[in-house]
Every structure is written in structure tokens, then in C-alpha cells.
Short mmCIF file of all heavy atoms in Angstrom, two decimals:
data_model
loop_
_atom_site.label_atom_id
_atom_site.label_comp_id
_atom_site.label_asym_id
_atom_site.label_seq_id
_atom_site.Cartn_x
_atom_site.Cartn_y
_atom_site.Cartn_z
N GLY A 18 4.72 -11.18 3.47
CA GLY A 18 5.90 -10.36 3.42
C GLY A 18 5.62 -8.89 3.62
O GLY A 18 6.50 -8.08 3.46
N GLY A 19 4.38 -8.53 3.98
CA GLY A 19 4.06 -7.12 4.18
C GLY A 19 4.47 -6.63 5.55
O GLY A 19 4.91 -7.40 6.41
N THR A 20 4.30 -5.35 5.77
CA THR A 20 4.65 -4.75 7.05
C THR A 20 3.39 -4.23 7.74
O THR A 20 2.34 -4.06 7.11
CB THR A 20 5.62 -3.57 6.87
OG1 THR A 20 4.95 -2.52 6.17
CG2 THR A 20 6.88 -3.99 6.13
N ALA A 21 3.53 -3.95 9.01
CA ALA A 21 2.43 -3.36 9.76
C ALA A 21 2.06 -2.01 9.16
O ALA A 21 0.88 -1.65 9.10
CB ALA A 21 2.82 -3.21 11.23
N GLU A 22 3.04 -1.28 8.71
CA GLU A 22 2.79 0.03 8.10
C GLU A 22 2.00 -0.12 6.79
O GLU A 22 1.09 0.68 6.53
CB GLU A 22 4.12 0.75 7.86
CG GLU A 22 4.86 1.13 9.14
CD GLU A 22 5.58 -0.04 9.84
OE1 GLU A 22 5.82 -1.10 9.19
OE2 GLU A 22 5.89 0.11 11.02
N ASP A 23 2.33 -1.14 5.98
CA ASP A 23 1.58 -1.41 4.75
C ASP A 23 0.12 -1.72 5.07
O ASP A 23 -0.80 -1.24 4.40
CB ASP A 23 2.17 -2.59 3.98
CG ASP A 23 3.56 -2.34 3.44
OD1 ASP A 23 3.93 -1.16 3.26
OD2 ASP A 23 4.28 -3.34 3.20
N LEU A 24 -0.09 -2.55 6.08
CA LEU A 24 -1.43 -2.94 6.47
C LEU A 24 -2.21 -1.73 6.97
O LEU A 24 -3.37 -1.51 6.58
CB LEU A 24 -1.37 -4.02 7.55
CG LEU A 24 -2.70 -4.54 8.08
CD1 LEU A 24 -3.56 -5.10 6.98
CD2 LEU A 24 -2.45 -5.58 9.17
N ARG A 25 -1.58 -0.92 7.80
CA ARG A 25 -2.22 0.29 8.32
C ARG A 25 -2.63 1.22 7.17
O ARG A 25 -3.75 1.74 7.14
CB ARG A 25 -1.29 1.01 9.29
CG ARG A 25 -1.90 2.19 9.99
CD ARG A 25 -0.96 2.83 11.01
NE ARG A 25 -0.70 1.93 12.13
CZ ARG A 25 0.45 1.30 12.34
NH1 ARG A 25 1.46 1.46 11.52
NH2 ARG A 25 0.60 0.50 13.37
N GLU A 26 -1.73 1.43 6.21
CA GLU A 26 -2.02 2.29 5.07
C GLU A 26 -3.16 1.74 4.22
O GLU A 26 -4.02 2.50 3.75
CB GLU A 26 -0.77 2.48 4.21
CG GLU A 26 0.29 3.36 4.84
CD GLU A 26 1.55 3.46 4.01
OE1 GLU A 26 1.48 3.20 2.79
OE2 GLU A 26 2.58 3.80 4.58
N ALA A 27 -3.19 0.43 4.00
CA ALA A 27 -4.24 -0.19 3.19
C ALA A 27 -5.61 -0.05 3.86
O ALA A 27 -6.61 0.26 3.20
CB ALA A 27 -3.92 -1.67 2.94
N ILE A 28 -5.66 -0.25 5.17
CA ILE A 28 -6.92 -0.12 5.89
C ILE A 28 -7.38 1.34 5.86
O ILE A 28 -8.55 1.63 5.59
CB ILE A 28 -6.78 -0.64 7.33
CG1 ILE A 28 -6.55 -2.15 7.32
CG2 ILE A 28 -8.02 -0.27 8.16
CD1 ILE A 28 -6.13 -2.71 8.66
N ALA A 29 -6.47 2.26 6.14
CA ALA A 29 -6.81 3.69 6.14
C ALA A 29 -7.30 4.13 4.76
O ALA A 29 -8.28 4.89 4.65
CB ALA A 29 -5.62 4.52 6.58
N ALA A 30 -6.66 3.65 3.70
CA ALA A 30 -7.07 4.02 2.34
C ALA A 30 -8.46 3.47 2.02
O ALA A 30 -9.27 4.14 1.37
CB ALA A 30 -6.05 3.51 1.33
N THR A 31 -8.75 2.27 2.48
CA THR A 31 -10.06 1.67 2.25
C THR A 31 -11.15 2.49 2.94
O THR A 31 -12.19 2.79 2.34
CB THR A 31 -10.09 0.21 2.75
OG1 THR A 31 -9.12 -0.54 2.02
CG2 THR A 31 -11.47 -0.41 2.58
N ILE A 32 -10.91 2.87 4.17
CA ILE A 32 -11.90 3.67 4.89
C ILE A 32 -12.03 5.06 4.28
O ILE A 32 -13.13 5.60 4.19
CB ILE A 32 -11.54 3.73 6.38
CG1 ILE A 32 -11.73 2.32 6.97
CG2 ILE A 32 -12.39 4.76 7.12
CD1 ILE A 32 -11.26 2.16 8.37
N ALA A 33 -10.93 5.64 3.82
CA ALA A 33 -10.96 6.97 3.20
C ALA A 33 -11.81 6.99 1.94
O ALA A 33 -12.37 8.04 1.59
CB ALA A 33 -9.54 7.43 2.89
N ARG A 34 -11.94 5.86 1.25
CA ARG A 34 -12.77 5.79 0.04
C ARG A 34 -14.27 5.80 0.35
O ARG A 34 -15.09 6.00 -0.54
CB ARG A 34 -12.41 4.56 -0.78
CG ARG A 34 -11.08 4.70 -1.49
CD ARG A 34 -10.86 3.60 -2.51
NE ARG A 34 -10.81 2.27 -1.94
CZ ARG A 34 -9.71 1.65 -1.52
NH1 ARG A 34 -8.55 2.27 -1.59
NH2 ARG A 34 -9.77 0.44 -1.03
N GLU A 35 -14.63 5.59 1.61
CA GLU A 35 -16.04 5.61 2.01
C GLU A 35 -16.37 7.03 2.47
O GLU A 35 -15.90 7.46 3.52
CB GLU A 35 -16.28 4.61 3.14
CG GLU A 35 -17.63 4.70 3.80
CD GLU A 35 -18.78 4.66 2.82
OE1 GLU A 35 -18.91 3.68 2.07
OE2 GLU A 35 -19.57 5.63 2.80
N PRO A 36 -17.16 7.77 1.70
CA PRO A 36 -17.40 9.18 2.03
C PRO A 36 -18.11 9.41 3.35
O PRO A 36 -17.99 10.48 3.93
CB PRO A 36 -18.24 9.69 0.85
CG PRO A 36 -18.78 8.48 0.19
CD PRO A 36 -17.85 7.35 0.48
N ARG A 37 -18.83 8.43 3.86
CA ARG A 37 -19.54 8.61 5.13
C ARG A 37 -18.68 8.31 6.34
O ARG A 37 -19.09 8.54 7.47
CB ARG A 37 -20.78 7.71 5.15
CG ARG A 37 -21.78 8.06 4.05
CD ARG A 37 -22.85 7.01 3.94
NE ARG A 37 -22.23 5.77 3.47
CZ ARG A 37 -22.84 4.62 3.30
NH1 ARG A 37 -24.12 4.53 3.59
NH2 ARG A 37 -22.22 3.57 2.86
N ALA A 38 -17.47 7.78 6.14
CA ALA A 38 -16.63 7.33 7.25
C ALA A 38 -15.50 8.31 7.55
O ALA A 38 -14.91 8.88 6.64
CB ALA A 38 -16.03 5.96 6.92
N VAL A 39 -15.23 8.47 8.83
CA VAL A 39 -14.07 9.24 9.29
C VAL A 39 -13.29 8.32 10.21
O VAL A 39 -13.81 7.85 11.24
CB VAL A 39 -14.50 10.51 10.05
CG1 VAL A 39 -13.29 11.23 10.61
CG2 VAL A 39 -15.32 11.42 9.15
N LEU A 40 -12.04 8.03 9.86
CA LEU A 40 -11.20 7.17 10.67
C LEU A 40 -10.81 7.92 11.94
O LEU A 40 -10.26 9.02 11.88
CB LEU A 40 -9.95 6.76 9.89
CG LEU A 40 -8.99 5.81 10.60
CD1 LEU A 40 -9.68 4.48 10.91
CD2 LEU A 40 -7.76 5.57 9.73
N ILE A 41 -11.09 7.33 13.08
CA ILE A 41 -10.77 7.93 14.38
C ILE A 41 -9.49 7.34 14.94
O ILE A 41 -8.62 8.05 15.41
CB ILE A 41 -11.94 7.73 15.37
CG1 ILE A 41 -13.24 8.30 14.82
CG2 ILE A 41 -11.60 8.31 16.74
CD1 ILE A 41 -13.24 9.79 14.60
N GLY A 42 -9.37 6.02 14.90
CA GLY A 42 -8.18 5.36 15.43
C GLY A 42 -7.92 4.05 14.71
O GLY A 42 -8.85 3.36 14.31
N LEU A 43 -6.64 3.72 14.57
CA LEU A 43 -6.25 2.47 13.91
C LEU A 43 -4.91 2.03 14.48
O LEU A 43 -3.92 2.75 14.39
CB LEU A 43 -6.14 2.67 12.40
CG LEU A 43 -5.60 1.50 11.58
CD1 LEU A 43 -6.46 0.26 11.76
CD2 LEU A 43 -5.51 1.88 10.11
N ASP A 44 -4.90 0.87 15.10
CA ASP A 44 -3.67 0.31 15.66
C ASP A 44 -3.49 -1.12 15.18
O ASP A 44 -4.46 -1.88 15.09
CB ASP A 44 -3.72 0.32 17.19
CG ASP A 44 -3.78 1.71 17.76
OD1 ASP A 44 -2.87 2.50 17.45
OD2 ASP A 44 -4.73 2.03 18.49
N ILE A 45 -2.26 -1.47 14.88
CA ILE A 45 -1.88 -2.84 14.55
C ILE A 45 -1.07 -3.34 15.75
O ILE A 45 -0.04 -2.76 16.09
CB ILE A 45 -1.03 -2.90 13.26
CG1 ILE A 45 -1.71 -2.14 12.11
CG2 ILE A 45 -0.72 -4.35 12.89
CD1 ILE A 45 -3.07 -2.65 11.71
N VAL A 46 -1.56 -4.41 16.38
CA VAL A 46 -0.99 -4.84 17.66
C VAL A 46 -0.72 -6.33 17.69
O VAL A 46 -1.26 -7.10 16.90
CB VAL A 46 -1.94 -4.46 18.82
CG1 VAL A 46 -2.16 -2.96 18.89
CG2 VAL A 46 -3.25 -5.21 18.75
N ASP A 47 0.09 -6.73 18.66
CA ASP A 47 0.28 -8.13 18.98
C ASP A 47 -1.00 -8.59 19.67
O ASP A 47 -1.40 -8.00 20.68
CB ASP A 47 1.48 -8.28 19.91
CG ASP A 47 1.74 -9.71 20.34
OD1 ASP A 47 0.78 -10.42 20.72
OD2 ASP A 47 2.91 -10.12 20.29
N PRO A 48 -1.68 -9.61 19.16
CA PRO A 48 -2.97 -9.99 19.73
C PRO A 48 -2.88 -10.56 21.15
O PRO A 48 -3.87 -10.56 21.86
CB PRO A 48 -3.52 -11.02 18.74
CG PRO A 48 -2.34 -11.53 18.01
CD PRO A 48 -1.33 -10.42 17.99
N ALA A 49 -1.71 -11.00 21.57
CA ALA A 49 -1.57 -11.55 22.92
C ALA A 49 -1.31 -10.47 23.96
O ALA A 49 -1.75 -10.58 25.10
CB ALA A 49 -0.43 -12.58 22.94
N THR A 50 -0.60 -9.41 23.56
CA THR A 50 -0.19 -8.39 24.53
C THR A 50 -0.78 -7.01 24.26
O THR A 50 -0.68 -6.14 25.11
CB THR A 50 1.35 -8.23 24.52
OG1 THR A 50 1.75 -7.70 23.25
CG2 THR A 50 2.04 -9.56 24.79
N PHE A 51 -1.34 -6.81 23.08
CA PHE A 51 -1.86 -5.53 22.62
C PHE A 51 -0.76 -4.47 22.46
O PHE A 51 -1.06 -3.28 22.36
CB PHE A 51 -2.99 -5.00 23.52
CG PHE A 51 -4.19 -5.89 23.51
CD1 PHE A 51 -4.48 -6.69 24.60
CD2 PHE A 51 -5.02 -5.95 22.41
CE1 PHE A 51 -5.58 -7.52 24.59
CE2 PHE A 51 -6.12 -6.78 22.38
CZ PHE A 51 -6.41 -7.57 23.49
N ALA A 52 0.49 -4.90 22.42
CA ALA A 52 1.60 -3.98 22.16
C ALA A 52 1.62 -3.66 20.67
O ALA A 52 1.36 -4.52 19.82
CB ALA A 52 2.93 -4.62 22.57
N ALA A 53 1.93 -2.40 20.36
CA ALA A 53 2.00 -1.98 18.96
C ALA A 53 3.05 -2.79 18.20
O ALA A 53 4.10 -3.13 18.74
CB ALA A 53 2.34 -0.50 18.88
N ILE A 54 2.74 -3.10 16.94
CA ILE A 54 3.65 -3.84 16.07
C ILE A 54 4.12 -2.90 14.97
O ILE A 54 3.34 -2.12 14.43
CB ILE A 54 2.94 -5.05 15.43
CG1 ILE A 54 2.57 -6.08 16.49
CG2 ILE A 54 3.80 -5.69 14.35
CD1 ILE A 54 1.77 -7.25 15.94
N SER A 55 5.39 -3.02 14.61
CA SER A 55 5.91 -2.31 13.44
C SER A 55 6.81 -3.26 12.68
O SER A 55 7.24 -4.29 13.20
CB SER A 55 6.67 -1.05 13.86
OG SER A 55 7.79 -1.39 14.64
N GLY A 56 7.06 -2.92 11.43
CA GLY A 56 7.95 -3.74 10.61
C GLY A 56 7.24 -4.93 10.00
O GLY A 56 6.01 -5.00 9.94
N THR A 57 8.04 -5.89 9.55
CA THR A 57 7.54 -7.07 8.84
C THR A 57 6.62 -7.90 9.73
O THR A 57 6.93 -8.16 10.89
CB THR A 57 8.71 -7.93 8.36
OG1 THR A 57 9.56 -7.14 7.53
CG2 THR A 57 8.23 -9.14 7.58
N LEU A 58 5.49 -8.30 9.16
CA LEU A 58 4.54 -9.14 9.88
C LEU A 58 4.98 -10.59 9.78
O LEU A 58 5.17 -11.11 8.69
CB LEU A 58 3.14 -8.97 9.28
CG LEU A 58 2.59 -7.55 9.33
CD1 LEU A 58 1.23 -7.48 8.63
CD2 LEU A 58 2.47 -7.06 10.76
N THR A 59 5.13 -11.23 10.94
CA THR A 59 5.62 -12.61 10.96
C THR A 59 4.62 -13.58 11.57
O THR A 59 4.88 -14.77 11.64
CB THR A 59 6.94 -12.69 11.76
OG1 THR A 59 6.71 -12.21 13.09
CG2 THR A 59 8.03 -11.87 11.10
N GLY A 60 3.50 -13.08 12.03
CA GLY A 60 2.50 -13.94 12.65
C GLY A 60 1.20 -13.19 12.77
O GLY A 60 1.01 -12.13 12.17
N PRO A 61 0.28 -13.73 13.57
CA PRO A 61 -1.02 -13.08 13.74
C PRO A 61 -0.87 -11.65 14.25
O PRO A 61 0.05 -11.34 15.01
CB PRO A 61 -1.72 -13.95 14.77
CG PRO A 61 -1.02 -15.26 14.72
CD PRO A 61 0.40 -14.95 14.36
N VAL A 62 -1.79 -10.80 13.85
CA VAL A 62 -1.84 -9.42 14.33
C VAL A 62 -3.27 -9.07 14.70
O VAL A 62 -4.23 -9.66 14.19
CB VAL A 62 -1.32 -8.40 13.29
CG1 VAL A 62 0.13 -8.66 12.95
CG2 VAL A 62 -2.16 -8.40 12.03
N GLY A 63 -3.40 -8.13 15.60
CA GLY A 63 -4.71 -7.60 15.96
C GLY A 63 -4.88 -6.24 15.29
O GLY A 63 -3.94 -5.44 15.26
N ILE A 64 -6.06 -6.02 14.75
CA ILE A 64 -6.39 -4.73 14.17
C ILE A 64 -7.43 -4.09 15.09
O ILE A 64 -8.49 -4.66 15.32
CB ILE A 64 -6.97 -4.88 12.75
CG1 ILE A 64 -5.95 -5.55 11.84
CG2 ILE A 64 -7.40 -3.52 12.19
CD1 ILE A 64 -6.52 -5.98 10.50
N MET A 65 -7.08 -2.93 15.65
CA MET A 65 -7.96 -2.19 16.54
C MET A 65 -8.40 -0.94 15.76
O MET A 65 -7.56 -0.16 15.33
CB MET A 65 -7.23 -1.79 17.82
CG MET A 65 -6.42 -2.92 18.44
SD MET A 65 -7.42 -4.30 18.99
CE MET A 65 -8.01 -3.64 20.51
N LEU A 66 -9.70 -0.78 15.58
CA LEU A 66 -10.19 0.23 14.66
C LEU A 66 -11.38 0.97 15.27
O LEU A 66 -12.25 0.35 15.89
CB LEU A 66 -10.65 -0.47 13.37
CG LEU A 66 -11.40 0.33 12.34
CD1 LEU A 66 -10.43 1.27 11.62
CD2 LEU A 66 -12.07 -0.58 11.35
N SER A 67 -11.40 2.28 15.07
CA SER A 67 -12.60 3.06 15.37
C SER A 67 -12.83 4.03 14.22
O SER A 67 -11.89 4.63 13.69
CB SER A 67 -12.50 3.78 16.71
OG SER A 67 -11.40 4.67 16.72
N ALA A 68 -14.09 4.16 13.82
CA ALA A 68 -14.47 5.03 12.71
C ALA A 68 -15.84 5.62 13.00
O ALA A 68 -16.71 4.96 13.57
CB ALA A 68 -14.50 4.26 11.40
N GLN A 69 -16.00 6.88 12.61
CA GLN A 69 -17.26 7.58 12.80
C GLN A 69 -18.06 7.54 11.51
O GLN A 69 -17.53 7.83 10.43
CB GLN A 69 -16.97 9.04 13.18
CG GLN A 69 -18.17 9.82 13.61
CD GLN A 69 -18.53 9.57 15.05
OE1 GLN A 69 -17.66 9.37 15.88
NE2 GLN A 69 -19.81 9.56 15.35
N PHE A 70 -19.33 7.15 11.61
CA PHE A 70 -20.27 7.15 10.49
C PHE A 70 -21.45 8.01 10.91
O PHE A 70 -22.38 7.53 11.56
CB PHE A 70 -20.76 5.73 10.17
CG PHE A 70 -19.70 4.83 9.61
CD1 PHE A 70 -18.83 4.15 10.45
CD2 PHE A 70 -19.57 4.67 8.24
CE1 PHE A 70 -17.86 3.31 9.93
CE2 PHE A 70 -18.60 3.83 7.71
CZ PHE A 70 -17.75 3.16 8.57
N GLY A 71 -21.38 9.31 10.61
CA GLY A 71 -22.42 10.21 11.07
C GLY A 71 -22.44 10.25 12.59
O GLY A 71 -21.44 10.54 13.22
N ASP A 72 -23.59 9.91 13.19
CA ASP A 72 -23.72 9.90 14.64
C ASP A 72 -23.26 8.59 15.28
O ASP A 72 -23.28 8.46 16.50
CB ASP A 72 -25.19 10.13 15.03
CG ASP A 72 -25.66 11.52 14.69
OD1 ASP A 72 -24.82 12.43 14.59
OD2 ASP A 72 -26.89 11.71 14.52
N ILE A 73 -22.88 7.63 14.47
CA ILE A 73 -22.51 6.30 14.96
C ILE A 73 -21.00 6.16 15.02
O ILE A 73 -20.29 6.40 14.04
CB ILE A 73 -23.07 5.20 14.03
CG1 ILE A 73 -24.57 5.34 13.83
CG2 ILE A 73 -22.70 3.81 14.54
CD1 ILE A 73 -25.39 5.20 15.08
N LEU A 74 -20.49 5.73 16.18
CA LEU A 74 -19.06 5.42 16.34
C LEU A 74 -18.91 3.91 16.34
O LEU A 74 -19.47 3.22 17.19
CB LEU A 74 -18.52 6.01 17.65
CG LEU A 74 -17.07 5.68 17.96
CD1 LEU A 74 -16.14 6.27 16.89
CD2 LEU A 74 -16.68 6.20 19.33
N LEU A 75 -18.19 3.40 15.36
CA LEU A 75 -17.91 1.97 15.24
C LEU A 75 -16.56 1.70 15.90
O LEU A 75 -15.57 2.35 15.56
CB LEU A 75 -17.86 1.56 13.77
CG LEU A 75 -17.34 0.15 13.49
CD1 LEU A 75 -18.35 -0.88 13.95
CD2 LEU A 75 -17.03 -0.02 12.02
N ILE A 76 -16.54 0.77 16.84
CA ILE A 76 -15.30 0.34 17.47
C ILE A 76 -15.23 -1.17 17.27
O ILE A 76 -16.15 -1.89 17.65
CB ILE A 76 -15.27 0.68 18.97
CG1 ILE A 76 -15.41 2.19 19.15
CG2 ILE A 76 -13.99 0.16 19.62
CD1 ILE A 76 -15.59 2.62 20.58
N ASP A 77 -14.14 -1.63 16.66
CA ASP A 77 -14.06 -3.05 16.35
C ASP A 77 -12.61 -3.53 16.46
O ASP A 77 -11.68 -2.73 16.41
CB ASP A 77 -14.59 -3.30 14.94
CG ASP A 77 -15.09 -4.72 14.72
OD1 ASP A 77 -15.02 -5.54 15.67
OD2 ASP A 77 -15.56 -5.01 13.62
N GLN A 78 -12.47 -4.82 16.58
CA GLN A 78 -11.14 -5.44 16.57
C GLN A 78 -11.24 -6.78 15.86
O GLN A 78 -12.29 -7.41 15.86
CB GLN A 78 -10.58 -5.62 17.99
CG GLN A 78 -11.33 -6.57 18.88
CD GLN A 78 -12.53 -5.93 19.57
OE1 GLN A 78 -12.58 -4.72 19.74
NE2 GLN A 78 -13.50 -6.73 19.94
N LYS A 79 -10.13 -7.14 15.25
CA LYS A 79 -10.10 -8.38 14.48
C LYS A 79 -8.69 -8.94 14.55
O LYS A 79 -7.72 -8.18 14.41
CB LYS A 79 -10.50 -8.09 13.03
CG LYS A 79 -10.44 -9.24 12.09
CD LYS A 79 -11.67 -10.07 12.21
CE LYS A 79 -11.67 -11.16 11.14
NZ LYS A 79 -12.73 -12.08 11.32
N GLU A 80 -8.56 -10.22 14.74
CA GLU A 80 -7.25 -10.88 14.66
C GLU A 80 -7.14 -11.53 13.30
O GLU A 80 -8.07 -12.22 12.87
CB GLU A 80 -7.10 -11.94 15.76
CG GLU A 80 -5.75 -12.61 15.74
CD GLU A 80 -5.56 -13.61 16.87
OE1 GLU A 80 -6.12 -13.41 17.96
OE2 GLU A 80 -4.86 -14.60 16.65
N ILE A 81 -6.03 -11.29 12.62
CA ILE A 81 -5.81 -11.89 11.31
C ILE A 81 -4.41 -12.50 11.26
O ILE A 81 -3.54 -12.14 12.05
CB ILE A 81 -5.95 -10.88 10.15
CG1 ILE A 81 -4.88 -9.80 10.22
CG2 ILE A 81 -7.33 -10.26 10.14
CD1 ILE A 81 -4.74 -8.98 8.96
N THR A 82 -4.24 -13.42 10.35
CA THR A 82 -2.91 -13.97 10.07
C THR A 82 -2.61 -13.65 8.62
O THR A 82 -3.24 -14.21 7.72
CB THR A 82 -2.89 -15.49 10.29
OG1 THR A 82 -3.25 -15.75 11.66
CG2 THR A 82 -1.50 -16.06 10.04
N PRO A 83 -1.71 -12.69 8.39
CA PRO A 83 -1.41 -12.28 7.01
C PRO A 83 -0.71 -13.36 6.22
O PRO A 83 -0.12 -14.25 6.76
CB PRO A 83 -0.53 -11.05 7.18
CG PRO A 83 -0.17 -10.98 8.61
CD PRO A 83 -0.99 -11.95 9.36
#
């Protein structure tokens, strides 16, 4: 029953608690089309994330079903 905005905020807050990490980009998308999702989550979503850890840039993606 959560929203894309809730998920985005939870991920950003988790990364913010890590003092070595700087969030660069975070998108919640439809995993089939990569179109941005907003509002209530009703199916699988893709999480597109980039974060800087010192000299290292982490770029990752994950599909989840909330």
C-alpha cells in the first residue's frame, strides 16, 4: 500500500545515514518501460540508483515487488 514517493524517501534516508555515501540519483520506474512511476505501487518497480563513495561511483538497479 505504499507509494513511489514513500519508497524514494526511505531509500534516500537509508543512504543519508551512511556518512561515506552521497546520493547522486534515484529513480523509481516501471521495469518494462523505464518510465517514472508516481503514486501507489501496484506491481513490480525498478529502482535506479547512483551514489558516490569517495572516489567510487556506484550505479545499480534492482527490480522489486513491494
Side-chain angles (χ1 to χ4, degrees):
T20 66
E22 294 77 18
D23 294 337
L24 180 57
R25 186 177 293 108
E26 288 177 21
I28 293 169
T31 299
I32 292 173
R34 287 191 297 270
E35 170 52 58
R37 298 170 293 177
V39 176
L40 182 62
I41 304 296
L43 174 59
D44 296 303
I45 309 300
V46 300
D47 178 314
T50 66
F51 296 106
I54 293 176
S55 62
T57 303
L58 300 176
T59 59
V62 298
I64 300 169
M65 314 296 281
L66 171 73
S67 59
Q69 189 81 35
F70 292 84
D72 292 336
I73 306 297
L74 177 63
L75 170 71
I76 301 172
D77 204 359
Q78 65 276 337
K79 177 82 174 172
E80 182 177 328
I81 65 166
T82 301

